[in-house]
Each structure stands twice: as C-alpha cells, then as structure tokens.
Amino acid sequence: PAAAPDALLPELLAAGQASDAGKQAQSSVAQCVAVLCCAAGGARVEGTVTKLLEALSKAGGDAVAGQRLALLCLGAIGRRADLSKMPQVEAAITQALGAESDEIRGAASLALGGLACGNLPHYMPSLLRQISSTQGAPKQQYLLLQALSEVITTIAVVGQAKIDLSASDTEQVLTLLLSNCEAEEECRNVVAECLGHLALLHPERVLAALQQRISSPSANVRTVVVSAIKYTVVEKPHPVDEHLQRCVLDFLSMMSDPDRHVRRAAVVALSAVAHQKAVALVAMHLGALLPKLYEQTVVREDMIRTVDLGPFKHKIDDGLELRKAAFECLDILLDSCRGQLETSVFVSHLESGLKDHPDVKSPCHLMLAKVAASDPTALLAGLEKLVEPLEKTLTTKLKSDAVKQEVDRHEDMLRSCLRAVDAVNRIPAIDTCAPFQAFMKRTVMAGPLKDKFLQIERERAEAEGGDAMDLS
C-alpha cells in the first residue's frame, strides 16, 4: 500500500534511536529504511533524505545516537539511489568526518563510501583527491580510506552488479593505495584490505603490482603487500584463484623475511589461505612452507628486550605475537592439511609451545588433544618430552597477592591443560608410557588437581553422551 512507508519509516527510525539500539541494530534499521524508501520512488527518497539531514544537524551529546543512525541511513540510501543531485548530502557527511565523537566519524566514513557507490563517476574523483590531500593527517586519512574500502568491498565482495570500477579508476586507486603503504599503521591495515579486495576485481594487474613490491627495501611496504593476500582469498571458487596459484608461494615465503612484522603478515596470510583454499593453494607448497613456519614457533632471545622502569626492570617479548600467530596457523593446517603434516616433527615443535607464554600454551593444548585423537601412535612415541611442560603448567603457583583477573587466568590455564591431559590419557596404549603414568599419579590424580581433572572428564563425557572413566 502507498501508505506503508508513511507508517513504517517513523517506527523504524524510532526503533533505531532506542536506548538499547546498538551499532548493529542501527545498521539493520538503516538497511530497512533504505529498501523501503527507495522502493517507494524518488520523491520518497528525497523526503527521507531531507529529514535525515535535519536529524544529523541536531547538536548535543544526547543526539549522537540519532546522528549516527542518520548517517548510516544516508549511506544505505546512497548505495541504492544516486544522490548526486543533492550536494548537501555529501557536504553534511564530509562535515561529520570532523565530529568530536568517534562513533559519528566512523558512521560518516561508512556513509561516504555508501554515497559513492550510488554514482562512482561523480563521487570517486573527489574521494581520491581527499585521500591524497590528507597524507599529513592520519586520522582523517584513515576515515577516507575506510570510505574507499566500503566502495571496493561493495563491488568486489558483496558483488553489487550495477557498479564497477573502470580500468582507469582501478589504476588510480591502485596507484593511490600503493603510495600510502608508508602511512600510519591503522591506515596501512586498511590499504592492505583495499588492495586485496581490488585484486578480486583485477587479479592480474593488482597481483603483479603487489608481487613487484615484496622485494621493496621498506618493511612497511612488504608488510602491506603480504597482508593484502589474506583478503584475496574467498570461500567460493573465484577467477583470482588461478592467478594466486602462480604467485602465492612468493608471498607466503616472506615468513623468512628479516622483519618480524613481515613474517607475521606472511603467517597470518598462510592461515587465511589454508582456511579457505587449502587444497587449491597451499597443499602443494607445504614442503617449502612448513620449515619456515616452524621457525616462527621458537622463542628467540634476540627478540626479548629489557625496559628499565626505575625501581624495577620489565622484559618485553617482541616475538610473542608472531609465535601466537604461528601456532594458530599450525592449528588450521592440522585441520585442513592433516595428511601432509609429519606428526613427529609437529609434536617436537608442540613441545616448545607447551613451555611458552600462556597465550601460546592454550592453542597448543588444543592441538595436543587433536593429535591424540588423530594420530595416537605417533604422539605416544614423542609423549615423554611433553610430560615436563604439562607438569610445570599444572604445578605453577600463583603469587599470594594475585588479583582476581590473575586467579581467573590461572584457573583457565589449568582447565586448558587438563583437557589436553584428558585427551592424551584416553590413548589406547597410554599405559605403556611410564613417564606419563607417573605424572598422572603424582600430579594429576593427587591433591586439588584430582577433583578438577575428574570434573573435566565428566564434562567431556556429558558432551559426548557417555560416562567418564573411573580413575578414583
């Protein structure tokens, strides 16, 4: 009915401004508003946009939710309808990019991207000029790059058929992005995402440009182009896959780069590729990649520095994030390429992870449980070396003045370790490993750990719908 928009639009906008309406709820409301008013025709679009601009102009702290909703609605409408005949829309959104509120600036960035999607020839040149002119203002540049990302993602990932980037536009965007590989870190992250999604539109041209720069003398440039690869991999078969098959090894081999940020970017890229396209893009290269990946799991003393804080000194481990990423990648490979991993080598590196920082131990406990289920015989052969790190984790004591957060983390670590021990203890021939049996007797089934372990067993048995083994 013709009256439907008149009745529904005010209710939708009111729902979007409710006190319990978060960002996700407002995004959903914005999509509904856009579909409703665009379906009702041009006059309805113009009238709704005018009302949204009025809401956006309201000042005051209480108006933030309303302003954010107005911006999200303008972006959603702009994506579906050409608003270039209403220049006040672009002006209002651009002004909002300079608002004090982070929420308003973020919504304005999304709105500008949505607006550009409605008429690329009109808005894209202006957006690219603005990005170029803000190279000395990282916060503003970040918002504009996010708007550009919104445009590229809409075309490449969402697949909005009515818009496309011409070859000349692609060259301009590619040149602009590559010129910003030395920007601030948050900007570089968006640049990498944009480059990866741009490769989905023009694989040969973009991947060639990225490949040329993996030998750049700048670590920032190398990090960006390697990071871009994780955004080129999508779940379904895609034309980019054929091009990636020819060059993906070059990017992933950057795990041997001298710079730890580049190495981590390559490890994260391998995780993404292995998760989505293990057989098509990773399996044939594992022989070359696994030794490089295993190298990233080792604690390196040259990456640990001591900071003098006056009365005491504090050690900072710059390699921790890299090791976490490496073990998380191994976990993905354990699921996606299990048959190509040599268990004995895998377990030897698992040993170092079980001795590492708690953030590294947790994924290692999970992997130990997986190996116990998938290749128990091979694990049994190397199990003796794992007993010591498992026992050390379970016998570590908290300081007497530990705060609640530390107590909770310690308890989580104990449960994580005990779940791994439970998985190992269920290996059919586990009674042949004397060191493990001795460990179970003196540590796991003694003192307060016994009750915790039996509880873990009960929880696992309930999840499996069976009964726990009686070890009491």
Side-chain angles (χ1 to χ4, degrees):
D6 292 325
L8 285 176
L9 279 172
E11 291 186 21
L12 281 169
L13 293 171
Q17 295 183 69
S19 58
D20 58 347
K23 191 180 298 184
Q24 187 58 50
Q26 286 194 328
S27 295
S28 299
V29 167
Q31 299 304 320
C32 294
V33 168
V35 170
L36 195 60
C37 75
C38 289
R44 173 61 59 190
V45 168
E46 188 173 341
T48 303
V49 168
T50 300
K51 289 181 180 178
L52 292 169
L53 290 173
E54 290 173 2
L56 185 57
S57 66
K58 290 181 180 177
D62 295 339
V64 169
Q67 291 173 334
R68 184 176 68 184
L69 177 63
L71 286 164
L72 293 174
C73 288
L74 288 170
I77 294 171
R79 187 176 278 103
R80 290 170 173 79
D82 180 2
L83 300 182
S84 58
K85 298 272 195 308
M86 301 179 72
Q88 65 271 34
V89 178
E90 184 181 10
I93 293 174
T94 302
Q95 184 178 355
L97 288 171
E100 291 184 10
S101 166
D102 287 343
E103 292 184 7
I104 297 299
R105 291 199 301 271
S109 176
L110 295 176
L112 185 58
L115 186 69
C117 289
N119 188 334
L120 280 183
H122 179 83
Y123 291 112
M124 185 63 92
S126 171
L127 178 57
L128 298 182
R129 280 196 304 272
Q130 288 183 75
I131 294 173
S132 296
S133 67
T134 56
Q135 289 192 348
K139 289 185 178 179
Q140 192 73 0
Q141 187 181 39
Y142 171 76
L143 294 170
L144 293 168
L145 284 169
Q146 284 282 28
L148 178 60
S149 176
E150 186 75 5
V151 174
I152 298 173
T153 302
T154 298
I155 302 171
V157 181
V158 179
Q160 192 157 321
K162 70 173 185 177
I163 58 175
D164 195 9
L165 277 180
S166 66
S168 62
D169 281 342
T170 299
E171 281 301 319
Q172 286 186 55
V173 172
L174 180 59
T175 301
L176 176 68
L177 291 171
L178 292 172
S179 70
N180 281 284
C181 289
E182 295 280 12
E184 295 293 319
E185 183 179 4
E186 63 176 2
C187 293
R188 296 199 302 269
N189 292 338
V190 184
V191 168
E193 183 178 356
C194 288
L195 285 168
H197 288 158
L198 194 64
L200 295 174
L201 298 173
H202 299 275
E204 188 170 5
R205 174 69 188 96
V206 177
L207 287 175
L210 297 181
Q211 198 170 7
Q212 288 173 4
R213 285 161 177 81
I214 58 177
S215 57
S216 167
S218 166
N220 284 342
V221 173
R222 299 197 304 275
T223 301
V224 168
V225 297
V226 172
S227 295
I229 294 303
K230 69 182 177 183
Y231 298 105
T232 65
V233 186
V234 291
E235 185 178 359
K236 295 179 180 178
H238 191 282
V240 76
D241 297 345
E242 181 183 346
H243 298 275
L244 280 172
Q245 284 174 346
R246 295 194 289 268
C247 66
V248 71
L249 181 60
D250 292 340
F251 291 99
L252 300 182
S253 293
M254 296 299 282
M255 285 187 289
S256 296
D257 193 271
D259 186 90
R260 62 184 167 91
H261 299 98
V262 181
R263 295 200 299 274
R264 184 177 182 278
V267 169
V268 172
L270 175 56
S271 292
V273 178
H275 179 68
Q276 299 280 21
K277 300 274 174 70
V279 175
L281 297 175
V282 172
M284 71 289 288
H285 300 306
L286 273 185
L289 293 174
L290 274 174
K292 301 178 191 296
L293 179 59
Y294 282 137
E295 285 178 10
Q296 312 314 315
T297 65
V298 180
V299 177
R300 286 177 46 173
E301 293 299 324
D302 62 323
M303 295 179 71
I304 299 175
R305 53 195 168 94
T306 302
V307 179
D308 193 341
L309 299 176
F312 57 92
K313 293 183 178 181
H314 177 60
K315 284 190 175 182
I316 297 177
D317 186 349
D318 289 326
L320 176 58
E321 292 302 316
L322 176 55
R323 297 197 304 279
K324 281 170 57 179
F327 277 110
E328 286 164 3
C329 183
L330 285 171
D331 189 23
I332 291 172
L333 291 173
L334 193 59
D335 291 334
S336 61
C337 301
R338 177 69 192 90
Q340 292 176 264
L341 300 181
E342 189 177 337
T343 302
S344 60
V345 179
F346 188 92
V347 170
S348 69
H349 287 88
L350 206 54
E351 178 188 356
S352 68
L354 292 170
K355 296 176 180 178
D356 207 327
H357 187 279
D359 288 351
V360 175
K361 286 181 183 179
S362 293
C364 288
H365 291 153
L366 181 61
M367 285 186 277
L368 178 57
K370 288 181 180 179
V371 175
S374 64
D375 198 350
T377 304
L379 175 59
L380 203 56
L383 183 58
E384 185 174 342
K385 291 182 178 180
L386 305 186
V387 170
E388 181 189 347
L390 290 172
E391 187 161 30
K392 188 173 181 180
T393 295
L394 291 177
T395 55
T396 297
K397 302 296 182 185
L398 277 171
K399 296 179 181 177
S400 58
D401 59 349
V403 298
K404 183 180 184 301
Q405 187 178 20
E406 291 172 320
V407 173
D408 290 344
R409 276 204 303 261
H410 179 69
E411 187 66 23
D412 289 342
M413 182 52 54
L414 290 179
R415 287 178 57 81
S416 172
C417 187
L418 287 172
R419 279 192 288 268
V421 171
D422 175 46
V424 173
N425 194 50
R426 295 167 66 205
I427 292 176
I430 192 61
D431 56 349
T432 63
C433 183
F436 185 82
Q437 292 301 315
F439 155 66
M440 287 294 295
K441 184 176 180 180
R442 70 174 174 265
T443 302
V444 179
M445 298 307 294
L449 285 176
K450 179 179 178 179
D451 289 340
K452 294 180 187 295
F453 181 71
L454 294 177
Q455 177 63 28
I456 292 288
E457 274 201 320
R458 285 193 292 270
E459 291 171 1
R460 184 254 308 155
E462 288 173 7
E464 294 176 351
D467 297 321
M469 187 186 303
D470 185 5
L471 296 178
S472 58

